Every structure is written in structure tokens, then in C-alpha cells.
Amino acid sequence: MIFLRTIPTVITLLCGLSFLSAPAQTVKPPEKVFRYAFAAAETGFDPAQLSDLYSRILTANMFDALYTYDYLARPLVIRPNLAAGMPEVSADFKTYTVKLKPGTYFSDDPAFKGNKRELVASDVVYTYKRIFDPKNKSPSVSGLREEKIIGMEELREQASKSGKFDYDREIEGLRALDKYTVQFKLGELRPRFLEGLTDPGIFGIVAREVVEAYGDRIMEHPVGTGPFKLSEWRRSSKITLVRNPNYREEYFEATPPADSPLAQQVYAKMKGRKLPQIDKIEVSIIEESQPRWLAFLGNEHDLMERLPAAYVNVAIPQNKLAPNLQKRGIQMQRNLLGDVTFSYFGMENPIVGGYTPEKIALRRAIAMGQNTAEEVRLPRRGQAIVAQGPVMPLTAAYDPNMRSEMGVFDRPKAMALLDLFGYTDKDGDGWRDLPDGKPLALEYATTSSADYRELNEIWKKNMDAIGVRVVFKYGQWPELLKASRNGKLMMWGLGLGGGSPDGAGVLALGYSQSKGQQNHARFSLPEYDEIYKRINRMPDSPERKLLIDQAVKILVAYMPYKFSTHRFGTDLTHPWLQGYVRNPIARDFWKYIDIDTDLQKSPKY
């Protein structure tokens, strides 16, 4: 009887204890994944070896530079990133001393042998030395050589002779003064040197033990201190990045312009949020515009960056968002970009190259025979303006009122110029020949995507009209880029985005020391080189602006490039992608954006 009476009591007590000790149920928040597409394949992930836009977008989000640009401020404002503050700059603009923030760590990697690896000043020194190592064939070396870092040129020359770069040799121009202080000493006055410390895509800081561990495979193994790290890579197909768990504590802070409602709205919503806000990035490589557009419409991508021209009339008729897209909550940002499109002539090519009057006349005639206004109207669907030279909009050096022969379409004058210099049809086949009677045929490199096919049609139509045969050489973007850097292409069409607020950096396209790097045309003229050097040494002034104009006039006169357009960029975003604002220069925007997963799941969208 006692036994029967005590059982309910014990059971009740045990049940109560069980209830009290049960762990609280936690609901894991849904993963925030940002998805969009590149229009061209990546080349790899080693900042020192990169020049193409898409690879640099990826590395800009995996690596850190010393400085960055305020996400929202316009005009652009440089802010500390890895640096603890703005640099200490000598009065003669020759010495820049940078103190680093302690507590910045690289993402974990087997090269660190299980240790958490802090970024220190010696990593900065090593990173910049790598660009000078001849073994790396860095496309950035010519630009950095112009900064005249004391002792670096001698180090590079020694490496060229010995076959080995001495990373342990200390030089006066680049030293770690202590664990968290790095100093640059320059051989010339360089008022804008700070701008060269802001691009994580090519100046992202790397760790020596990682580079040495992976050797020639370093392009496949990015290890940085940025907000994201590489998780999966299917070459030329898909790249997946995930949040870097070692990323430093950083919060959304920016300076929105008072006259920008969008920037004000983003700042009000995002201020104080911990960065990065998303967990994963999925980047697909989709070269054709139609599947990129359909993926965005099908909610497979969150951002349609740079709306393809083929869909302008559908998506933004009269440059306004189409009603059907408005109903879906899709938002539009349309901006004139700080960029320039161009076609170059290989100046070492026996047909289109050279500096004699008849060769200059040939290039000028081809340029004047190209109807750029038609290019803007048809394949670009009005989403560009005709360029008068290389200097890009949204930069200090840009003059919207400048006019030059670069922007002129004059078919009769082009034909008269060809006739005058002996480019006539000598064999009666209907096509012009060279003055010596050999065939004149332009070989224009291009990809096979629909966007390029439309541009190629304009080229062919206009060249046919002046009797100049043009044939197209098709290839994949990475292979064409490699061939171009090696001087193997006669002509190729490219686009170039701005790298600094100043704008004069684009003039490196004509600097002889940049052959095989920025200078795809391989143009070489001592007069131009001297002007270019003076421009880079001078502080901002009216005199410097006159020199920039003089350099542009030389490029127009010799025509190693046919500068065509400055483009408008229209970015479309689904309503669940929040915080996105296009920056004219910076490419590391992924850490600032957010995904509203509730909106993403809503049947409304």
C-alpha cells in the first residue's frame, strides 16, 4: 500500500525535474546567401598577378588593403581600413608612415599549422615586394615602379640577374619600423601615393608562409584578412565564398551625401550593423546576356549588375523601370560610370602599328570611319555617351566640354585620308590594300557572346563602307587577355574602369614602361613619357591639368587607341537585397549588403 501511494509522487517529481532541465529550443536563422553572375570568367585569386575586373572583385572581398573608400561618400573619401588612421605624410610627399590596427587575422589555413595568424607590418612589406618579383609577372608592377620606392628597383634588377628575389633584404623605401608600423620612402614627390594603397583587389595583403606553401598554385589558394574566404571553385563556372570567421569586429559606418535619398536611406537602415551581414556569396559565370537576365527574372540571382544592352528596352524603357518590374518590388540604380571603352591598335604590328605618317593616317582613318554615335544608339541602346578621349567621368581630370577628333565620325574624310596615303584597291577585289600593294586586313580579337557580336557588326559595317576588310579572331576572355599582354593581337576592344578619384591614371595606357600591362597598344613615345612622369610628380594644379590635356592630345594625334564611349550602368536589385549602392571605384561592397530572408520567401515576390 505504501508502495502504491508513493509512485505517483515520484513520477510527478521526476516529470517536473525533466521539464525544468530541458534545454531551451533555439531556431537557427536562415542562411543569407547573395547570388549574382559575372559576364566573364575569372583568371585566379592572387592579387599580385591580376588585372581583370572580375578576378579583382573576388580578391577585393577576400583581402584587405591599407585604406579604402567610404561606402557612401560622394565625392569619394579615403578612410583607414587595415590602417589605424590616416598616414603620416612628410611635407615633400616622399615619406608615408602607416600604423596598423592590432588584432587583424588571416582566415585559417593549413599553412599556419594550426595557429591563428595576425597580420603585421612585415606582411605589408612582403606583399608589395611580391609585385616587384619578376617571377610573378605582375601587371601592377609598372604603376608601382612609377612611385619610385627607394631601393626596390635595385632589388628587382638583382632578381632578374640571379633568378631569385631576395625578400629578406631590407631596403630604405619599404620597411617595417615595428610590428604594427610600415613606412614607404619614395624617390620623387608623389602627392597621390595614398590612392595606390586603397585597392584590395591587387594590393590585398598576403602572408608569406601561404605563398611559399602553395608556390605556383597560389592563384588557387587565396588566404586574406577580408570579410569572406573561398569555399568552392569550379573554374569559369561557379565561385562560392563564405564568411571569414576570423574577420575583425567592424560595424557599418559611412557618410551619405545630403542630396542622395538612396544613400540616406541605406545609412539610416544599416548604421551600426556588424559586418559582414551575409553568410555566403555564390557567383556564377554566365557569359551570354540572355541566361543572366532570365536567372535574375527567375529570382535565382539577387542583383542584375550592369543590365545588358539587349534588355534595356524591356527593363528600362525611356530609362525608367518597367511597370511589371516595379510591381515585383525590383529597384533600379542608373549611373554614368567612371569608365571608358576602347579598341586598341597593336603599335608593334606591321599592318596597323608604327609612327610614320602613313601608319598614323591609317589609324586615324579607321577611327574616323567608326560611327561611335551609331554604336551608342544601336548595340548600346543609348546607354553610353561618345568619348572624346581616355579620361573618365566622375574623376577630377574629366572635362565634359572637351571635344576632339576622337569623337568625330566623318566617312568622306576617312576615305580621302586613305586615298591620300596610298591605301587604295590595287588588285580590283573591292578591298583597299597597303601602299606597297600587300592586302590590308584588320584582325579584331573578340569573344563570341551576343553582346560582342552586336558591337562587331557595327565595326564590320563601318569598315566595309570605307573599303577596309576586317576579320574577327574569336577566343575566351582569359586567353585573349594573355595574348594581348604578350603583344600578340592586332586589335582588341576593352573597357577600363576608374582606379582613383584623380583620373590621370588612365594615361598609363600610353606610357612605354607599361607595355604588356596597362599599355595594351604598346605605344612608345619619349615626349609622351616625359609628360606622363611630370603629371605624376605634380600636385593638383591648373598647370597639371594643362599637361593632362596635352597628353590626351598626343593620344588623339597618334591614335594608338580609338576611345569610344563612357557607359551608363543600370543595376537592378530584388527587394530583399538591401544596402546596395554602386561605388564608382571600390569593389568590396559585399560586406555592406544584407539579405532579408523573410522578403525573399514572401509569395508576393
Side-chain angles (χ1 to χ4, degrees), residues 494-534:
L494 295 163
L496 186 65
S500 77
D502 171 56
V506 70
L507 298 177
L509 287 170
Y511 183 46
S512 66
Q513 298 304 306
S514 294
K515 286 183 182 181
Q517 295 163 56
Q518 294 101 317
N519 186 353
H520 286 269
R522 307 180 82 83
F523 181 70
S524 180
L525 191 72
E527 177 190 356
Y528 183 92
D529 285 353
E530 183 54 37
I531 292 172
Y532 179 76
K533 292 175 185 177
R534 289 176 61 194

Side-chain angles (χ1 to χ4, degrees), residues 321-544:
L321 190 64
N324 64 309
L325 300 182
Q326 292 183 38
K327 290 178 182 178
R328 295 180 56 179
I330 290 172
Q331 298 168 6
M332 168 183 119
Q333 294 180 38
R334 182 176 182 268
N335 301 287
L336 181 62
L337 304 177
D339 82 346
V340 63
T341 68
F342 58 86
S343 298
Y344 75 77
F345 301 92
M347 293 297 288
E348 296 171 359
N349 183 275
I351 293 178
V352 298
Y355 300 84
T356 55
E358 73 276 7
K359 294 298 186 180
I360 296 171
L362 174 62
R363 294 191 297 271
R364 287 181 58 202
I366 291 170
M368 280 193 292
Q370 178 67 0
N371 190 343
T372 308
E374 186 178 44
E375 176 185 325
V376 168
R377 187 175 68 255
L378 296 178
R380 298 198 183 278
R381 310 306 198 272
Q383 302 305 299
I385 59 174
V386 174
Q388 303 294 329
V391 180
M392 306 169 191
L394 310 181
T395 65
Y398 180 68
D399 179 1
N401 298 314
M402 178 217 173
R403 294 294 180 268
S404 77
E405 186 182 290
M406 194 68 70
V408 170
F409 167 60
D410 191 330
R411 188 172 289 159
K413 187 174 181 179
M415 297 176 72
L417 197 57
L418 291 169
D419 291 341
L420 179 64
F421 282 87
Y423 295 96
T424 57
D425 179 10
K426 297 176 175 61
D427 57 9
D429 66 352
W431 297 106
R432 293 179 183 270
D433 299 302
L434 295 171
D436 62 5
K438 294 179 181 177
L440 168 59
L442 306 181
E443 188 177 82
Y444 195 105
T446 183
T447 69
S448 59
S449 69
D451 294 346
Y452 281 96
R453 287 197 298 271
E454 288 193 66
L455 291 168
N456 295 343
E457 287 173 8
I458 295 293
W459 262 101
K460 180 166 174 49
K461 172 186 173 182
N462 284 292
M463 292 302 98
D464 285 355
I466 61 173
V468 175
R469 180 191 287 113
V470 58
V471 295
F472 297 100
K473 178 180 180 179
Y474 293 95
Q476 296 296 314
W477 171 266
E479 288 72 28
L480 291 176
L481 180 62
K482 183 178 180 180
S484 180
R485 296 210 176 281
N486 290 324
K488 303 298 184 183
L489 303 180
M490 181 190 294
M491 296 179 67
W492 191 22
L494 295 163
L496 186 65
S500 77
D502 171 56
V506 70
L507 298 177
L509 287 170
Y511 183 46
S512 66
Q513 298 304 306
S514 294
K515 286 183 182 181
Q517 295 163 56
Q518 294 101 317
N519 186 353
H520 286 269
R522 307 180 82 83
F523 181 70
S524 180
L525 191 72
E527 177 190 356
Y528 183 92
D529 285 353
E530 183 54 37
I531 292 172
Y532 179 76
K533 292 175 185 177
R534 289 176 61 194
I535 288 169
N536 286 333
R537 290 194 296 263
M538 294 174 69
D540 297 338
S541 64
E543 293 76 19
R544 181 173 181 266

Side-chain angles (χ1 to χ4, degrees), residues 3 22 36 64 73 80 99 142 163 176 190 208-209 216 248 270 327 332 373 393 419 430 440 476 480 495 538 578 599:
F3 179 73
Y36 78 131
D64 278 308
K99 292 190 176 294
S142 63
R190 307 295 291 187
R208 181 171 182 173
E209 54 264 57
D216 293 339
R248 60 191 175 275
M270 300 295 182
K327 290 178 182 178
M332 168 183 119
D419 291 341
L440 168 59
Q476 296 296 314
L480 291 176
M538 294 174 69
Q578 301 180 348
L599 280 180

Side-chain angles (χ1 to χ4, degrees), residues 1-247:
M1 296 294 294
I2 295 173
F3 179 73
L4 291 175
R5 284 199 303 268
T6 57
I7 287 177
T9 305
V10 173
I11 291 173
T12 303
L13 178 61
L14 290 175
C15 289
L17 288 173
S18 176
F19 174 78
L20 290 172
S21 63
Q25 295 293 318
T26 58
V27 179
K28 185 178 180 181
E31 188 176 48
K32 296 181 178 181
V33 182
F34 172 52
R35 311 154 301 164
Y36 78 131
F38 287 169
E42 76 294 342
T43 56
F45 309 113
D46 179 23
Q49 299 186 63
L50 301 179
S51 65
D52 64 292
L53 170 64
Y54 295 108
S55 297
R56 288 171 64 177
I57 292 174
L58 292 160
T59 51
N61 289 280
M62 291 187 279
F63 294 87
D64 278 308
L66 294 173
Y67 293 89
T68 188
Y69 289 98
D70 187 302
Y71 182 55
L72 298 177
R74 307 291 186 273
L76 293 170
V77 176
I78 294 176
R79 302 290 191 207
N81 190 39
L82 291 175
M86 299 305 287
E88 179 184 321
V89 184
S90 63
D92 61 3
F93 293 103
K94 291 184 178 181
T95 303
Y96 290 75
T97 305
V98 179
K99 292 190 176 294
L100 303 178
K101 297 173 185 174
T104 298
Y105 293 91
F106 288 94
S107 60
D108 294 334
D109 189 85
F112 300 136
K113 303 184 186 306
N115 299 314
K116 193 174 181 182
R117 173 66 155 79
E118 186 181 19
L119 182 148
V120 294
S122 59
D123 296 315
V124 179
V125 173
Y126 175 74
T127 295
Y128 279 83
K129 282 183 175 179
R130 280 194 75 225
I131 294 172
F132 282 85
D133 187 341
K135 177 185 175 183
N136 295 323
K137 299 179 181 178
S138 176
S140 304
V141 69
S142 63
L144 204 53
R145 291 175 83 177
E146 294 171 35
E147 306 294 354
K148 306 294 184 184
I149 298 174
I150 297 173
M152 194 69 88
E153 202 60 44
E154 291 77 9
L155 204 58
R156 179 177 170 86
E157 289 176 5
Q158 182 189 55
S160 296
K161 293 176 182 177
S162 67
K164 184 177 181 180
F165 194 94
D166 188 356
Y167 284 97
D168 296 315
R169 177 180 162 187
E170 186 174 278
I171 59 173
E172 181 184 353
L174 182 56
R175 294 186 297 155
L177 302 185
D178 57 43
K179 186 176 182 180
Y180 299 114
T181 308
V182 63
Q183 185 178 78
F184 298 85
K185 282 193 172 182
L186 314 175
E188 295 179 351
L189 180 150
R190 307 295 291 187
R192 288 160 294 279
F193 179 71
L194 178 58
E195 293 179 359
L197 306 179
T198 60
D199 190 343
I202 54 176
F203 297 122
I205 308 304
V206 301
R208 181 171 182 173
E209 54 264 57
V210 172
V211 176
E212 292 179 347
Y214 293 109
D216 293 339
R217 294 165 53 232
I218 189 60
M219 284 281 267
E220 306 168 20
H221 294 276
V223 179
T225 60
F228 300 97
K229 64 177 186 176
L230 185 65
S231 172
E232 181 184 1
W233 181 28
R234 287 182 284 171
R235 187 182 292 273
S236 303
S237 176
K238 187 175 182 180
I239 302 116
T240 302
L241 279 67
V242 295
R243 184 196 298 264
N244 175 11
N246 290 348
Y247 191 61

